[in-house]
């Protein structure tokens, strides 16, 4: 056999699931969070009038969906947050943060695990940008 054929056979053996009769489970989860924090220096820079402080309230849902089986696990998550500033209403936003992640984990053999993690973050929060 050629070197390419051996390599293909080894790769196929590693990627073939260890069990063929795996039970799969799917789920969805919706959570809502409310957080409040005090920021002593909103813009993380000395302003002409000194640091500006404010009380920030964040509210938003997060949706998570997943597929779990013995060799494969896929989890997708998406969250969105609104922000309200007590003393700086110009910074209020209905969509201040968006966060999305996708995680895939594949375990074809007990000693081999393949992971892929991706994420996306979009924010208007001044403290998150610094």
């Amino acid at each position: 056999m050629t070197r390419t054929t051996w390599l293909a056979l080894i790769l196929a053996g590693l990627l073939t699931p260890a069990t063929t009769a795996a039970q799969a489970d799917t789920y969805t989860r919706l959570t809502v969070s409310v957080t409040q924090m005090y920021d002593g220096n909103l813009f993380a820079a000395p302003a002409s009038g000194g640091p500006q402080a404010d009380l920030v309230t964040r509210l938003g849902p997060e949706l998570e969906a997943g597929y779990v089986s013995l060799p494969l696990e896929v989890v997708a998550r998406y969250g969105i947050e609104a922000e309200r500033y007590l003393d700086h209403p110009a910074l209020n936003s209905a969509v201040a943060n968006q966060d999305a992640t996708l995680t895939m984990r594949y375990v074809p053999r007990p000693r081999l695990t393949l992971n892929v993690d991706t994420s996306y973050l979009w924010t208007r929060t001044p403290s998150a940008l610094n």
Side-chain angles (χ1 to χ4, degrees):
M1 285 192 207
T2 65
R3 182 177 174 190
T4 308
T5 306
W6 278 109
L7 185 60
L9 287 173
I10 291 170
L11 188 60
L14 288 174
L15 296 179
T16 303
T19 60
T20 56
Q23 291 184 344
D25 185 26
T26 58
Y27 68 92
T28 57
R29 181 180 307 138
L30 177 65
T31 57
V32 177
S33 65
V34 177
T35 58
Q36 195 168 45
M37 68 175 223
Y38 176 79
D39 193 342
N41 189 3
L42 277 180
F43 303 106
S48 59
Q52 298 182 29
D54 205 344
L55 189 63
V56 184
T57 304
R58 292 186 180 142
L59 168 70
E62 181 178 272
L63 178 64
E64 179 179 323
Y67 170 84
V68 180
S69 68
L70 190 55
L72 179 66
E73 178 179 347
V74 179
V75 177
R77 184 176 302 125
Y78 176 75
I80 189 168
E81 286 183 325
E83 284 186 339
R84 184 181 183 286
Y85 290 78
L86 187 64
D87 296 328
H88 295 83
L91 297 176
N92 291 349
S93 176
V95 181
N97 297 312
Q98 293 184 51
D99 187 10
T101 60
L102 176 66
T103 303
M104 292 185 288
R105 182 173 172 232
Y106 182 59
V107 186
R109 298 280 178 208
R111 293 186 183 195
L112 177 64
T113 302
L114 304 172
N115 288 322
V116 175
D117 295 321
T118 61
S119 63
Y120 170 79
L121 176 65
W122 181 88
T123 184
R124 286 189 48 186
T125 307
S127 61
L129 296 174
N130 291 318

